[in-house]
Structures are given as C-alpha cells and as structure tokens.
Amino acid sequence: CGQGGDRMTQAQLNAALDLMRRLPPKDVEVNLQCVIELVPDLTEDLLQSVDQPLQVARDKESGRDYLLCDYNRDGDSFRSPWSNKYDPPLHDGAVPSHRMRTLEVAANEIFDQYREMYFEGGVSSVYCWDLDEGFAACALFKKVGEMGRRGLAEGVWDSIHVLEVRERDGFPTAHYKLTTTVMLHTHTDEESGKVTLMGTLTRQVEQDLPVNEANNHLVNMGNMIQDLENKLRISIDQIYFGKSSQIQHEIRKNLSQARAQKLAQEALQAAADYGGKGAKV
C-alpha cells in the first residue's frame, strides 16, 4: 500500500511539473498556487522543483535589497545574506555554518560587483550551505529593464545558478556541477505593434577544477557562472530575438509584396480607365 501511495504521489508530481512547463512562464506564480491548492501534499516538492520569478525584499538592518528563493526560505520567513537574519523573525531558523557564512559574505560582495558590471543595476544574492561531501551555493540575479527605452513597456531578467561542489580529501581538485535557469519576459509597445516574448532556459555543466590560492572556490564558481550565463544569453538572442526578427522580416516582406501587387493592379486599372476615356473622346 505504501509503495502504491508513493507511485501515486510521484505520478501526481510528474503531472504537475509537466503542466507547469506548458503554461505561460509569466503566470507561473499564480499557476503554481492553483496547483498547490489542488494537491497540497506536494507543496514542498513543487516549491523546490518549480522556478519562480525572483522577488525582492529589503534588509531592515543594512538597508540593502536581497532576493527571495527556496534556498533562503524557512517556513514563511526568508534569510537575508547581508545580516544573516530572517524576516519575519525566526529564532530557530536554519543558518549556514561558520565556514559557509564566511564564503557567503565574500561571495555576495564579489557577485554584487559582477552584477553592477554586467547588468548595470538590478539585485543579486548568494546563499551557501553544507553538503555531506562538500557544499552548495545559489547565486541569483534580477534585472528589471528601463521602461520606455526602445519601446520597452516591460522587461525582466531572472537568473538562478545552483552549484554543488564535491570536495575530496587528498585531491587538488573539486568537482563542480552548475545548473543555471534563466527566465526572460519582455513586452514592447511601439507604433508598429506590440510584441511579447517570454520563456525559460535551463542548462547544466560539470567540471573538475583545481583548488589552490590562485583558483579558490569563489574564482572557480565565478568563472563557471559567467561562462554559462553568457552562453545562455547567446542562446536566448538566437532562439527568441533572432527568430522574432526573422518572423517580422518575413511578415514585412510579404506585406511589401502584397502592397506592390496592389499598387500595380491599381496602376493597371487606372491606365485602363484612362485609355477607355481617351477612346471615347
């Protein structure tokens, strides 16, 4: 009976995740809440499995913004990477070990500079926690586009990078597994028309990298995140914007051809009408 129940739960989870993949990414939060109401027993599994647009909160102690996700959540409270405190306050909430907290503080300062250089604004957050044979980290970036620029009515970039690092005693290298998800939503409103693009891309890479003074964990993590995010940007440009430009070009081409044919027909008709009038005279 227990195994049958487990199979049923897994089947429900698979069906729910398949449904979420087919629904518009822009409405993922509303859709996820509806699915959770249908199968409340899958709440934790769904929250851990479904990537949602990142929400921004402000650390009351430091006055700095940070991002909310499942990796800094404990119940209904979220931990700030700046003060290491939960909001709403949670006295027995999970916090990283001293080693992980030290890494987390340094990572937040470094990736905050990366965010400013590459995104020219936005918000970033990094969270770290221990694993049995190493540690894990999650680096988050959110950028809201400047409204009105080039006809942009709405534009949001959310990227989630989850790293698992396996450390091996006596080995000069560590194994890194990076899973990156990018969620993009843009809406333009121009005289030529309205265009909405939205989608989600996920990629995963694994590498064995040396760990020493010159190449510590932060250096390796930063290089992997930068490389994969750049590749995803290129993919998004080719898949979404490249295809969109191609479609618009074909539409304009067809419209131009149709307009040219219409003008030619009107010219022929005008010539025929003029010829007919001349013959009567």
Side-chain angles (χ1 to χ4, degrees), residues 84-154:
N84 202 29
K85 295 180 179 179
Y86 279 91
D87 186 24
L90 191 64
H91 301 295
D92 58 347
V95 293
S97 63
H98 176 72
R99 181 193 176 212
M100 287 297 98
R101 180 57 185 161
T102 302
L103 180 67
E104 186 177 88
V105 170
N108 273 282
E109 294 297 339
I110 291 174
F111 280 104
D112 189 55
Q113 297 176 25
Y114 169 88
R115 171 200 56 75
E116 189 60 39
M117 291 174 59
Y118 282 86
F119 292 93
E120 298 181 351
V123 183
S124 66
S125 294
V126 182
Y127 303 101
C128 300
W129 62 97
D130 287 296
L131 296 176
D132 291 338
E133 298 179 357
F135 67 93
C138 177
L140 312 168
F141 300 94
K142 185 180 188 70
K143 174 64 185 290
V144 177
E146 183 180 341
M147 302 304 106
R149 185 177 181 182
R150 297 180 180 179
L152 185 67
E154 184 179 1

Side-chain angles (χ1 to χ4, degrees), residues 7-278:
R7 285 196 294 268
M8 176 63 73
T9 300
Q10 188 60 46
Q12 289 179 327
L13 179 60
N14 291 339
L17 294 176
D18 184 60
L19 176 63
M20 291 301 303
R21 282 191 290 267
R22 298 172 186 271
L23 295 172
K26 180 185 177 184
D27 304 322
V28 63
E29 294 170 283
V30 176
N31 295 331
L32 179 60
Q33 187 58 42
C34 291
V35 173
I36 288 175
E37 290 178 2
L38 290 174
V39 280
D41 292 342
L42 299 179
T43 298
E44 286 299 320
D45 291 324
L46 287 170
L47 289 175
Q48 292 175 8
S49 303
V50 178
D51 292 312
Q52 303 181 63
L54 300 170
Q55 301 298 318
V56 181
R58 173 152 295 188
D59 188 316
K60 298 176 183 178
E61 187 172 299
S62 67
R64 302 179 71 171
D65 291 337
Y66 64 98
L67 297 170
L68 312 183
C69 69
D70 193 60
Y71 299 102
N72 69 322
R73 179 178 66 88
D74 193 333
D76 295 326
S77 298
F78 292 88
R79 183 175 64 87
S80 166
W82 306 116
S83 64
N84 202 29
K85 295 180 179 179
Y86 279 91
D87 186 24
L90 191 64
H91 301 295
D92 58 347
V95 293
S97 63
H98 176 72
R99 181 193 176 212
M100 287 297 98
R101 180 57 185 161
T102 302
L103 180 67
E104 186 177 88
V105 170
N108 273 282
E109 294 297 339
I110 291 174
F111 280 104
D112 189 55
Q113 297 176 25
Y114 169 88
R115 171 200 56 75
E116 189 60 39
M117 291 174 59
Y118 282 86
F119 292 93
E120 298 181 351
V123 183
S124 66
S125 294
V126 182
Y127 303 101
C128 300
W129 62 97
D130 287 296
L131 296 176
D132 291 338
E133 298 179 357
F135 67 93
C138 177
L140 312 168
F141 300 94
K142 185 180 188 70
K143 174 64 185 290
V144 177
E146 183 180 341
M147 302 304 106
R149 185 177 181 182
R150 297 180 180 179
L152 185 67
E154 184 179 1
V156 181
W157 169 286
D158 289 310
S159 56
I160 303 170
H161 308 269
V162 180
L163 262 164
E164 293 182 21
V165 183
R166 300 293 177 180
E167 300 170 306
R168 295 168 288 186
D169 293 336
F171 286 84
T173 63
H175 183 76
Y176 297 81
K177 182 169 74 172
L178 170 63
T179 303
T180 293
T181 298
V182 170
M183 291 173 281
L184 176 70
H185 172 229
T186 66
H187 176 72
T188 57
D189 188 357
E190 299 180 292
E191 294 181 0
S192 58
K194 299 179 180 180
V195 177
T196 298
L197 293 174
M198 63 181 70
T200 301
L201 278 181
T202 299
R203 296 289 184 271
Q204 187 177 90
V205 294
E206 296 188 44
Q207 285 184 286
D208 287 315
L209 298 173
V211 181
N212 49 49
E213 292 184 3
N215 296 285
N216 56 39
H217 286 306
L218 282 178
V219 173
N220 292 337
M221 292 162 56
N223 288 335
M224 288 186 68
I225 288 174
Q226 181 180 359
D227 290 344
L228 188 52
E229 190 162 75
N230 285 339
K231 289 178 181 177
L232 283 174
R233 285 175 182 164
I234 294 173
S235 296
I236 288 173
D237 183 60
Q238 294 174 343
I239 294 173
Y240 294 106
F241 296 105
K243 192 65 177 178
S244 175
S245 298
Q246 180 183 350
I247 292 172
Q248 290 180 355
H249 174 72
E250 291 297 325
I251 291 174
R252 289 171 181 168
K253 180 181 176 181
N254 292 335
L255 288 175
S256 298
Q257 291 176 346
R259 186 168 181 271
Q261 291 176 354
K262 183 179 180 181
L263 290 174
Q265 290 175 352
E266 291 176 352
L268 289 173
Q269 185 62 45
D273 292 344
Y274 180 79
K277 291 178 181 179

